[in-house]
């Protein structure tokens, strides 16, 4: 007869997610994971196969509960700059709130709170946590092909969402396809850089996102925005 699982898998995965998010994959020990999840390593191995298996589950949860809800604002089809500005301003305000807050109510990646940058289901995070996937790019993904593919997949998904918002905002305007691609990559680079910078300097991270918003306004100055 198989073992009966006596714990909440989602809660365990999200506890591990927050730990990996804060410390990184390589700096997180099994003892850390036992303390965060309340499970013995034998139970973790039985449920997830390995530390890496738990990390993969944490990344999948992060994509589903933080990243994709955050990108939804870019996919609304807004015919002005409001979607782009809401996305960028939501991230900027979350970074600034985290710099000022002491109660862990919001994070730069929007994993708690009701702003336009993220999802309301996650747990509280440290002010300098940044983005789990961007942090991963600077660590594990540098020498791990599967992790590299996940991070690059996130980059591609972000660029595609930004491109969709740019095309919607410029509906009826003569845009060169190469220009739209260039602008989407530029905004993605600003966003990803700001999330990495949030770990070391929240003021500069917020300033970088404000610069990105300024670029959007300069690209389409005559398009009204409701953001």
């Amino acid at each position: 007869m198989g073992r009966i699982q006596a714990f909440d898998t989602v809660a365990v995965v999200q506890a591990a997610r927050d730990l990996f998010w804060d410390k990184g994959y390589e700096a997180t020990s099994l003892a850390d994971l036992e303390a965060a999840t309340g499970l013995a390593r034998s139970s973790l191995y039985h449920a997830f196969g390995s530390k890496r298996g738990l990390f993969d589950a944490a990344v999948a949860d992060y994509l589903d509960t933080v990243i994709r809800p955050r990108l939804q604002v870019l996919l609304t089809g807004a015919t002005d700059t409001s979607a782009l500005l809401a996305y960028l301003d939501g991230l900027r305000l979350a970074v600034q709130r985290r710099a000022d807050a002491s109660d862990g109510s919001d994070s730069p990646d929007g994993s708690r709170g009701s702003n336009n940058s993220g999802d309301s289901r996650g747990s509280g995070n440290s002010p300098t946590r940044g983005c789990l996937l961007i942090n991963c790019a600077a660590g594990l993904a540098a020498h791990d092909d599967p992790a590299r593919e996940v991070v690059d997949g996130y980059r591609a998904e972000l660029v595609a969402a930004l491109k969709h918002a740019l095309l919607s905002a410029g509906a009826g305007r003569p845009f060169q396809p190469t220009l739209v691609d260039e602008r989407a990559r530029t905004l993605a680079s600003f966003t990803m850089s700001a999330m990495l910078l949030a770990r070391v300097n929240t003021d500069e991270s917020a300033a970088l996102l404000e610069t990105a918003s300024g670029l959007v306004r300069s690209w389409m100055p005559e398009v009204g925005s409701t953001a």
Side-chain angles (χ1 to χ4, degrees):
M1 183 175 178
R3 292 175 60 182
I4 299 175
Q5 183 168 296
F7 57 85
D8 183 339
T9 300
V10 172
V12 167
V13 168
Q14 292 189 343
R17 178 201 69 188
D18 288 350
L19 188 61
F20 287 129
W21 196 345
D22 189 44
K23 300 186 67 173
Y25 175 78
E26 291 163 329
T28 299
S29 68
L30 283 171
D32 292 331
L33 290 167
E34 287 179 307
T37 64
L39 296 179
R41 65 187 64 193
S42 59
S43 295
L44 293 173
Y45 273 103
H46 178 75
F48 302 101
S50 64
K51 172 186 167 182
R52 179 53 187 273
L54 179 54
F55 178 76
D56 290 341
V59 168
D61 175 86
Y62 180 78
L63 285 166
D64 288 341
T65 65
V66 178
I67 292 296
R68 292 183 180 121
R70 173 160 43 107
L71 295 180
Q72 281 303 306
V73 69
L74 296 171
L75 304 176
T76 57
T79 56
D80 57 16
T81 58
S82 60
L84 289 160
L85 295 177
Y87 171 74
L88 294 167
D89 290 347
L91 287 179
R92 177 179 55 79
L93 291 172
V95 167
Q96 291 173 327
R97 278 197 298 271
R98 287 307 304 143
D100 296 335
S102 59
D103 61 355
S105 60
D106 291 287
S107 77
D109 231 353
S111 68
R112 177 181 287 185
S114 58
N115 57 68
N116 285 319
S117 64
D119 179 55
S120 61
R121 290 171 289 174
S123 59
N125 302 287
S126 72
T128 57
R129 190 163 283 177
C131 171
L132 173 60
L133 293 174
I134 303 303
N135 300 343
C136 180
L140 179 65
H143 53 79
D144 184 281
D145 287 340
R148 187 181 301 117
E149 289 175 5
V150 170
V151 173
D152 195 52
Y154 159 61
R155 179 203 58 78
E157 194 168 345
L158 173 60
V159 170
L162 288 164
K163 182 177 178 180
H164 177 88
L166 285 164
L167 288 170
S168 296
R173 294 164 53 87
F175 269 143
Q176 295 181 353
T178 55
L179 183 60
V180 175
D181 290 340
E182 177 184 305
R183 289 176 174 179
R185 286 194 299 270
T186 297
L187 292 177
S189 296
F190 268 84
T191 299
M192 296 174 77
S193 297
M195 289 298 97
L196 183 60
L197 192 56
R199 292 184 68 88
V200 296
N201 191 322
T202 53
D203 288 340
E204 285 300 312
S205 175
L208 195 57
L209 290 163
E210 180 58 39
T211 299
S213 294
L215 278 177
V216 170
R217 294 185 182 97
S218 71
W219 290 337
M220 290 173 276
E222 73 278 20
V223 179
S225 173
T226 59

